[in-house]
Amino acid sequence: MIKFENVSKKYEDGTEAVKTLNFEINNGELLVLIGPSGCGKTTTMKMINRLIPHTEGRITIDGKDIDTIDPVPLRRNIGYVIQQAGLFPHYTIEDNIALIPKLKKWNESEIEKRVNYLMEVVGLDPDVFAKRYPRELSGGEQQRVGVARALAANPDIILMDEPFGALDPMTREQLQDELVRIQSEMHKTIVFVTHDIDEALKLGDKIAIMRDGELLQLDTPEQLLSNPSHGFVEEFIGKQRIYQNPDYIPITDIMRENPVIALPSRTPTVAISFIRQHKIDTLIVCDENGKLLGIIPSYELHAKKEDIRTIAEIVQPVATILESTATAKDALQMINNASYGIIPVVNETQKVIGVVTRGSLLSFFANQWTGEGGNSDEK
């Protein structure tokens, strides 16, 4: 765990680059530092490996004050990735990756095994790329080597300073996906600096938004999108960004609560009355405890009302259901396969707590786009 306690950085000319930072980064967490130019995000990251010394406060790694650690071994035990990779042009790719293990005096067989493994991890065939030089690689390939080099000595902590900022959008997205995959396998503690809020939302377990050397909000992407704690945070993220990130919108923000439900013992006449009264075209059927049993389209009920005694005889199973923990993205992916265009939302006991329809999805996102926000009464 990395911990900042009342940490500040002040230069001799009086410039205060970072002001009284207090936060923690948990083991295995990817924290993104973001903010406008000059906000102190890169300074904050570089203080972790003492490339920039802090002037006040205390920074600890697993409880140990970094000021008590020799900076050379400290840095060798922290991976570091910078923009445009920073590879040594006269070293081969395998030599670039092997640099820190060699400095730490690993044996040659361990180094070779580690280099080959990491090249495969970052998507570079060792047989093809190991003996090449950086000038023979594309920008994206060089960044992959940079990531592999940062992982080479198997550090617990990796610092990444806008590593994908100079790449074209397609390559950048590919490497973001690679980082997500690698992190899911290796669970490193990563501090990632970027100026791109979309990149931050995609990668970060937590995001720290800074301005003028101050930390304004450190939170999960979901919390930042739904509950910005500062006007600048809302402005920086963008008020309409939630529209572009349906995977962060809880399904409970979209669903219609208290849907019309009927017991299976109801007669067709009563069920039809429910449908007419509430102006719905599909009836949800639940047991006495509210547990979902199935649905009945109104046309089916009208067609067979003379042939049945209770609606239990024509209840149809529901193939598409949303859990209460689902998101708008889940609903968007499922709605086209939903019977009659309706998806019941259930809790952990399978009790129906709401419904999502094509109309409710359209209304919600239309309101987000026009800036009205909130749930629409027209579902």
Side-chain angles (χ1 to χ4, degrees):
M1 178 177 68
I2 304 169
K3 188 173 184 178
F4 280 63
E5 299 176 85
N6 299 313
V7 174
S8 298
K9 172 61 183 179
K10 184 179 291 186
Y11 291 97
E12 292 183 0
D13 64 359
T15 301
E16 197 169 11
V18 170
K19 306 171 185 176
T20 319
L21 295 180
N22 288 282
F23 65 91
E24 298 179 7
I25 307 170
N26 297 321
N27 290 331
E29 189 171 75
L30 196 159
L31 173 72
V32 177
L33 298 172
I34 189 170
S37 297
C39 71
K41 56 186 182 291
T42 298
T43 299
T44 300
M45 185 196 70
K46 288 184 176 181
M47 289 192 295
I48 295 171
N49 65 356
R50 295 181 61 184
L51 284 176
I52 295 178
H54 59 283
T55 48
E56 295 178 19
R58 185 168 179 257
I59 301 173
T60 59
I61 297 176
D62 292 332
K64 189 169 184 178
D65 192 328
I66 64 170
D67 282 343
T68 66
I69 307 173
D70 187 303
V72 174
L74 173 69
R75 291 167 193 161
R76 288 181 182 176
N77 287 307
I78 296 177
Y80 191 40
V81 186
I82 63 175
Q83 193 174 129
Q84 297 178 326
L87 304 178
F88 292 107
H90 56 290
Y91 281 15
T92 63
I93 299 309
E94 62 183 354
D95 287 338
N96 267 283
I97 297 172
L99 179 63
I100 299 301
K102 285 181 178 179
L103 291 173
K104 298 184 77 169
K105 301 188 184 303
W106 289 22
N107 67 55
E108 289 300 322
S109 63
E110 285 181 315
I111 293 174
E112 182 180 3
K113 183 178 180 181
R114 182 69 176 169
V115 168
N116 289 338
Y117 166 71
L118 288 174
M119 290 189 71
E120 291 175 353
V121 165
V122 299
L124 297 174
D125 185 343
D127 294 333
V128 176
F129 292 95
K131 302 297 183 183
R132 292 186 181 181
Y133 288 86
R135 65 179 179 273
E136 300 177 86
L137 274 60
S138 68
E141 289 167 344
Q142 290 184 34
Q143 282 304 126
R144 290 173 186 267
V145 176
V147 173
R149 184 174 63 181
L151 293 166
N154 200 23
D156 293 325
I157 298 170
I158 299 174
L159 308 181
M160 308 187 79
D161 189 5
E162 300 201 49
F164 311 141
L167 302 174
D168 65 87
M170 183 175 294
T171 303
R172 183 174 187 162
E173 185 172 356
Q174 290 173 349
L175 287 180
Q176 289 169 354
D177 292 340
E178 283 294 310
L179 180 59
V180 170
R181 179 185 62 80
I182 291 169
Q183 177 65 353
S184 70
E185 296 175 3
M186 296 191 170
H187 305 290
K188 299 296 183 181
T189 302
I190 300 175
V191 181
F192 190 106
V193 170
T194 184
H195 63 274
D196 184 340
I197 187 62
D198 291 314
E199 183 169 69
L201 291 169
K202 180 175 182 177
L203 298 179
D205 297 312
K206 299 277 185 65
I207 299 172
I209 296 184
M210 301 181 68
R211 184 184 67 171
D212 297 332
E214 297 181 336
L215 177 60
L216 299 183
Q217 186 171 356
L218 192 159
D219 237 320
T220 63
E222 293 86 350
Q223 282 298 311
L224 284 172
L225 285 167
S226 59
N227 295 301
S229 64
H230 190 282
F232 174 80
V233 174
E234 182 177 26
E235 180 183 351
F236 188 80
I237 293 173
K239 293 182 179 180
Q240 301 305 327
R241 193 168 301 278
I242 192 168
Y243 174 82
Q244 301 167 6
N245 291 274
D247 44 341
Y248 295 125
I249 306 171
I251 199 62
T252 49
D253 285 0
I254 298 176
M255 71 181 189
R256 185 185 70 200
E257 299 177 346
N258 303 313
V260 179
I261 62 174
L263 294 170
S265 58
R266 295 296 186 188
T267 65
T269 301
V270 171
I272 290 172
S273 176
F274 279 179
I275 287 173
R276 288 173 176 168
Q277 180 181 353
H278 295 282
K279 299 178 181 179
I280 57 177
D281 53 19
T282 306
L283 188 63
I284 296 175
V285 181
C286 299
D287 66 13
E288 292 81 357
N289 298 314
K291 185 176 180 180
L292 179 65
L293 297 176
I295 58 177
I296 303 174
S298 61
Y299 67 80
E300 183 82 1
L301 186 58
H302 281 88
K304 296 185 177 179
K305 63 181 180 180
E306 305 297 336
D307 304 323
I308 59 173
R309 297 179 59 187
T310 67
I311 61 175
E313 299 174 46
I314 56 170
V315 170
Q316 301 178 16
V318 183
T320 306
I321 299 171
L322 285 165
E323 301 288 340
S324 57
T325 54
T327 67
K329 182 177 181 179
D330 298 319
L332 289 167
Q333 291 174 336
M334 296 169 65
I335 191 66
N336 285 338
N337 296 321
S339 299
Y340 316 111
I342 185 171
I343 309 177
V345 182
V346 299
N347 63 14
E348 63 277 3
T349 65
Q350 296 300 296
K351 180 179 179 179
V352 175
I353 61 171
V355 294
V356 173
T357 66
R358 289 189 179 92
S360 66
L361 283 170
L362 179 61
S363 295
F364 179 86
F365 284 106
N367 287 341
Q368 290 296 326
W369 184 253
T370 58
E372 295 177 15
N375 279 329
S376 169
D377 291 334
E378 186 178 348
K379 307 282 183 170

Coordinates of all heavy atoms in Angstrom, one line a residue, residues 18 22 33 39 49 84 103 111 121 131 133-134 140-141 155 161 184 209 225 239 261 284 290 300 328 343 350 357-358:
V18 N 2.5 20.8 -5.3 CA 1.6 19.9 -4.7 C 1.3 20.4 -3.3 O 2.2 20.7 -2.6 CB 2.1 18.5 -4.7 CG1 1.2 17.6 -3.9 CG2 2.2 17.9 -6.1
N22 N -3.3 13.9 1.0 CA -3.6 12.8 1.9 C -4.5 11.7 1.2 O -5.6 12.0 0.9 CB -4.4 13.3 3.1 CG -3.5 14.1 4.1 OD1 -2.7 13.5 4.8 ND2 -3.6 15.4 4.0
L33 N -4.1 9.3 -12.0 CA -4.0 10.7 -11.6 C -4.3 11.6 -12.8 O -3.7 11.4 -13.9 CB -2.6 11.0 -11.1 CG -2.1 10.3 -9.9 CD1 -0.6 10.6 -9.6 CD2 -2.9 10.7 -8.6
C39 N -1.3 20.7 -12.9 CA -2.1 20.4 -11.7 C -1.3 19.7 -10.7 O -1.8 19.6 -9.5 CB -3.4 19.6 -12.1 SG -3.1 17.9 -12.6
N49 N 8.8 7.4 -6.4 CA 10.1 6.8 -6.5 C 11.2 7.8 -6.3 O 12.4 7.5 -6.7 CB 10.2 6.1 -7.9 CG 10.2 7.0 -9.1 OD1 10.0 8.2 -8.9 ND2 10.3 6.5 -10.3
Q84 N 6.4 7.5 -25.1 CA 7.4 7.1 -26.2 C 8.4 6.1 -25.7 O 9.6 6.1 -26.2 CB 8.0 8.4 -26.8 CG 7.0 9.3 -27.5 CD 7.6 10.6 -28.0 OE1 8.6 11.1 -27.4 NE2 7.1 11.0 -29.1
L103 N 20.8 -5.7 -13.7 CA 21.3 -4.8 -12.6 C 21.1 -5.5 -11.3 O 21.9 -5.2 -10.3 CB 20.7 -3.4 -12.7 CG 21.0 -2.5 -13.9 CD1 20.2 -1.3 -13.9 CD2 22.5 -2.2 -13.8
I111 N 16.8 -14.7 -16.6 CA 16.5 -13.5 -17.4 C 15.9 -13.8 -18.7 O 14.9 -13.2 -19.2 CB 17.8 -12.7 -17.6 CG1 18.3 -12.1 -16.2 CG2 17.6 -11.5 -18.6 CD1 19.6 -11.4 -16.3
V121 N 3.5 -11.9 -23.1 CA 2.4 -11.2 -22.3 C 2.0 -10.0 -23.0 O 0.8 -9.7 -23.1 CB 2.9 -10.9 -20.9 CG1 2.0 -9.9 -20.2 CG2 3.0 -12.2 -20.1
K131 N 15.6 -9.9 -31.1 CA 16.9 -9.4 -31.6 C 16.8 -8.1 -32.4 O 17.8 -7.6 -32.8 CB 17.5 -10.5 -32.5 CG 17.7 -11.8 -31.8 CD 18.7 -11.8 -30.7 CE 18.9 -13.1 -30.1 NZ 19.8 -13.1 -28.9
Y133 N 16.0 -3.9 -32.9 CA 16.3 -2.7 -32.2 C 15.1 -1.8 -32.2 O 14.2 -1.9 -33.1 CB 17.5 -2.0 -32.9 CG 18.8 -2.7 -32.6 CD1 19.2 -3.8 -33.5 CD2 19.6 -2.4 -31.5 CE1 20.4 -4.4 -33.2 CE2 20.8 -3.1 -31.3 CZ 21.2 -4.1 -32.2 OH 22.4 -4.8 -31.9
P134 N 15.0 -0.9 -31.3 CA 13.8 0.0 -31.2 C 13.4 0.7 -32.5 O 12.2 0.8 -32.8 CB 14.2 1.0 -30.1 CG 15.1 0.2 -29.2 CD 15.9 -0.7 -30.1
G140 N 3.6 1.8 -31.3 CA 2.9 0.9 -30.4 C 3.7 -0.3 -29.9 O 3.6 -0.7 -28.7
E141 N 4.5 -0.8 -30.8 CA 5.3 -2.0 -30.4 C 6.4 -1.5 -29.4 O 6.7 -2.3 -28.4 CB 6.0 -2.6 -31.6 CG 5.0 -3.3 -32.5 CD 5.6 -3.6 -33.9 OE1 6.6 -3.0 -34.3 OE2 5.0 -4.5 -34.6
P155 N 8.1 -6.1 -10.2 CA 7.9 -5.2 -9.1 C 6.4 -5.2 -8.7 O 5.5 -5.6 -9.4 CB 8.2 -3.8 -9.8 CG 7.8 -4.0 -11.2 CD 8.2 -5.5 -11.5
D161 N 3.7 7.2 -16.8 CA 3.5 8.6 -17.1 C 3.0 8.9 -18.5 O 3.8 8.9 -19.4 CB 4.9 9.3 -16.8 CG 4.8 10.8 -16.8 OD1 3.6 11.3 -16.9 OD2 5.8 11.5 -16.7
S184 N -5.4 -7.6 -15.0 CA -6.4 -8.7 -14.5 C -5.6 -10.0 -14.1 O -6.1 -10.7 -13.3 CB -7.5 -9.0 -15.5 OG -7.0 -9.6 -16.6
I209 N -8.7 13.3 -9.2 CA -8.8 14.5 -10.0 C -8.1 15.7 -9.3 O -8.5 15.9 -8.1 CB -10.2 14.9 -10.4 CG1 -10.8 13.7 -11.3 CG2 -10.3 16.2 -11.2 CD1 -12.2 14.0 -11.8
L225 N -18.8 9.7 -11.8 CA -19.8 10.0 -12.8 C -21.1 10.4 -12.2 O -21.8 11.3 -12.7 CB -20.0 8.8 -13.8 CG -18.9 8.6 -14.8 CD1 -19.0 7.3 -15.4 CD2 -18.9 9.7 -15.9
K239 N -20.6 17.0 -18.3 CA -21.9 16.6 -17.8 C -22.6 15.5 -18.6 O -23.4 14.8 -18.1 CB -22.8 17.9 -17.8 CG -22.3 18.9 -16.8 CD -23.3 20.1 -16.7 CE -22.8 21.1 -15.7 NZ -23.7 22.3 -15.7
I261 N -48.0 -6.1 -11.3 CA -47.8 -7.5 -11.3 C -49.1 -8.2 -10.9 O -50.0 -7.6 -10.3 CB -46.7 -8.0 -10.3 CG1 -47.1 -7.6 -8.9 CG2 -45.4 -7.4 -10.7 CD1 -46.1 -8.1 -7.9
I284 N -46.8 -8.9 -15.9 CA -45.8 -9.7 -15.1 C -46.5 -10.5 -14.1 O -47.3 -9.9 -13.3 CB -44.7 -8.8 -14.5 CG1 -43.9 -8.1 -15.6 CG2 -43.8 -9.6 -13.6 CD1 -42.9 -7.1 -15.0
G290 N -43.7 -12.1 -4.4 CA -43.2 -11.2 -5.4 C -42.1 -11.9 -6.3 O -41.5 -11.2 -7.1
E300 N -52.3 -12.2 -26.0 CA -52.5 -13.6 -25.7 C -53.6 -13.8 -24.7 O -54.4 -14.7 -24.8 CB -51.2 -14.2 -25.1 CG -51.2 -15.6 -24.8 CD -50.9 -16.5 -26.0 OE1 -50.7 -16.0 -27.1 OE2 -50.9 -17.7 -25.9
A328 N -26.9 -0.1 -17.3 CA -27.6 0.3 -18.6 C -27.0 -0.4 -19.8 O -27.7 -0.8 -20.7 CB -27.5 1.8 -18.8
I343 N -38.0 -6.2 -19.9 CA -37.1 -7.0 -19.1 C -37.4 -6.8 -17.6 O -37.2 -5.7 -17.1 CB -35.6 -6.6 -19.3 CG1 -35.3 -6.6 -20.8 CG2 -34.6 -7.6 -18.6 CD1 -33.8 -6.2 -21.1
Q350 N -34.9 -13.1 -6.4 CA -35.7 -13.2 -7.6 C -37.0 -12.5 -7.5 O -37.9 -12.7 -8.3 CB -35.9 -14.6 -8.0 CG -34.6 -15.4 -8.4 CD -33.9 -14.7 -9.6 OE1 -34.4 -14.6 -10.7 NE2 -32.7 -14.2 -9.3
T357 N -37.9 -1.3 -20.3 CA -38.5 -1.5 -21.6 C -37.7 -0.7 -22.6 O -36.9 0.2 -22.3 CB -40.0 -1.0 -21.7 OG1 -40.0 0.4 -21.5 CG2 -40.8 -1.7 -20.6
R358 N -38.0 -0.9 -23.9 CA -37.3 -0.1 -24.9 C -37.6 1.4 -24.7 O -36.8 2.3 -24.9 CB -37.8 -0.5 -26.3 CG -37.3 -1.9 -26.7 CD -37.6 -2.2 -28.2 NE -37.0 -3.4 -28.6 CZ -37.7 -4.6 -28.6 NH1 -39.0 -4.6 -28.1 NH2 -37.2 -5.7 -29.0

